[in-house]
Amino acid sequence: MKPMLAVLRREFSGYFSTPVAYVFIVVFLFTAGIFTFYLGQFFDRGQADLKSFFMFHPWLYLFFLPAIAMRLWAEERKAGTIELLLTLPIPLWAAVLGKFLAAWAFAGIALALTFPLWLTVNWLGNPDNGVILAGYIGSFLMAGAYLAIGSCMSAVTKNQVIAFVLSVLVCFIFTVSGAPMVLGFFQGWAPTLIVDTIASFSFLAHFNAITEGVIDVRDLVFFLSLIAVWLYANAVIVDLKKAG
């Protein structure tokens, strides 16, 4: 546990060693506000809830979270410090988990700083705070899934731009896999089992279910399992490249 915490602290402090982290948080909060108040028509809806806030999270995360994750391994590889990291008495799983948790914690801070919106809806009316809390939990879990994919893609290459593009592409596939247009493409020729399997991987479907205020164990298992699978793939890739 100590090695993992050491990696976590090193990575987390690294985010705030430059102004980039602060700029990132400001841009995230500004963009989330624009989406909520203008595109989501927060005031025009006349309802004291945060549906217009959470509905854009999958699309915000699609670009913001790969930007956080792209440096996790690609930067180490480009700077040549990955060899030093892997020669330290730190298990590979501790390095992978520590880096991931640091990125997840950073994303969690950015998400938590949106709490003025929660205060605002409570000031304007009487929202169902349980539903809002469920929305935050779902958003945080979904952020973890995006970051796990991004971390794995970052291990594939030492070029951060390529890692970002790959992450966005894979995350986009998971995001829209349950969309009617995507399922319609497969329904014409693929067996129902395959179509249902593709639909079950949809980030949107699982996230939207949680934002309705119902935290189903299946949705929690989906996001946590996806995080575990991508982190395992992350570790395998790092190990293979080390051996190579």
Side-chain angles (χ1 to χ4, degrees):
M1 187 61 75
K2 285 185 177 178
M4 188 273 290
L5 292 176
V7 175
L8 193 160
R9 283 195 294 269
R10 170 180 174 268
E11 289 295 322
F12 189 74
S13 61
Y15 283 111
F16 294 96
S17 62
T18 68
V20 175
Y22 302 99
V23 172
F24 175 91
I25 290 175
V26 170
V27 172
F28 172 76
L29 296 176
F30 178 76
T31 308
I34 292 292
F35 277 35
T36 302
F37 289 107
Y38 290 95
L39 297 182
Q41 299 181 325
F42 178 79
F43 291 111
D44 294 340
R45 292 176 62 247
Q47 297 180 15
D49 59 38
L50 287 183
K51 285 187 177 179
S52 58
F53 169 62
F54 289 118
M55 66 186 293
F56 293 107
H57 280 208
W59 309 109
L60 281 172
Y61 289 172
L62 185 59
F63 295 98
F64 276 96
L65 297 185
I68 294 176
M70 67 182 185
R71 60 176 288 276
L72 289 176
W73 293 98
E75 188 178 58
E76 296 269 13
R77 197 176 300 282
K78 185 176 181 180
T81 54
I82 191 169
E83 289 80 6
L84 175 62
L85 175 66
L86 296 178
T87 54
L88 295 174
I90 299 175
L92 182 55
W93 69 266
V96 171
L97 191 58
K99 282 177 171 288
F100 166 74
L101 289 178
W104 204 8
F106 178 70
I109 289 174
L111 178 62
L113 289 175
T114 63
F115 76 93
L117 287 172
W118 195 345
L119 298 179
T120 299
V121 293
N122 273 277
W123 181 68
L124 293 173
N126 297 300
D128 187 334
N129 287 309
V131 173
I132 295 176
L133 178 61
Y136 271 100
I137 292 172
S139 181
F140 185 60
L141 286 171
M142 185 172 63
Y146 277 107
L147 288 171
I149 293 172
S151 181
C152 184
M153 293 300 108
S154 179
V156 171
T157 175
K158 63 181 178 182
N159 187 312
Q160 294 190 36
V161 175
I162 294 176
F164 174 80
V165 173
L166 289 175
S167 300
V168 171
L169 179 62
V170 176
C171 290
F172 179 74
I173 291 172
F174 274 94
T175 302
V176 303
S177 63
M181 184 175 67
V182 176
L183 297 181
F185 173 77
F186 289 98
Q187 282 170 341
W189 53 273
T192 304
L193 178 62
I194 294 179
V195 176
D196 291 343
T197 302
I198 293 172
S200 70
F201 281 101
S202 170
F203 280 5
L204 283 176
H206 290 280
F207 176 62
N208 289 338
I210 296 177
T211 57
E212 292 297 324
V214 180
I215 302 180
D216 194 308
V217 174
R218 290 171 294 183
D219 297 320
L220 300 181
V221 169
F222 169 76
F223 282 120
L224 293 175
S225 300
L226 207 66
I227 290 171
V229 168
W230 281 102
L231 290 183
Y232 177 76
N234 187 166
V236 170
I237 291 171
V238 172
D239 196 39
L240 287 175
K241 286 187 173 289
K242 178 181 69 174

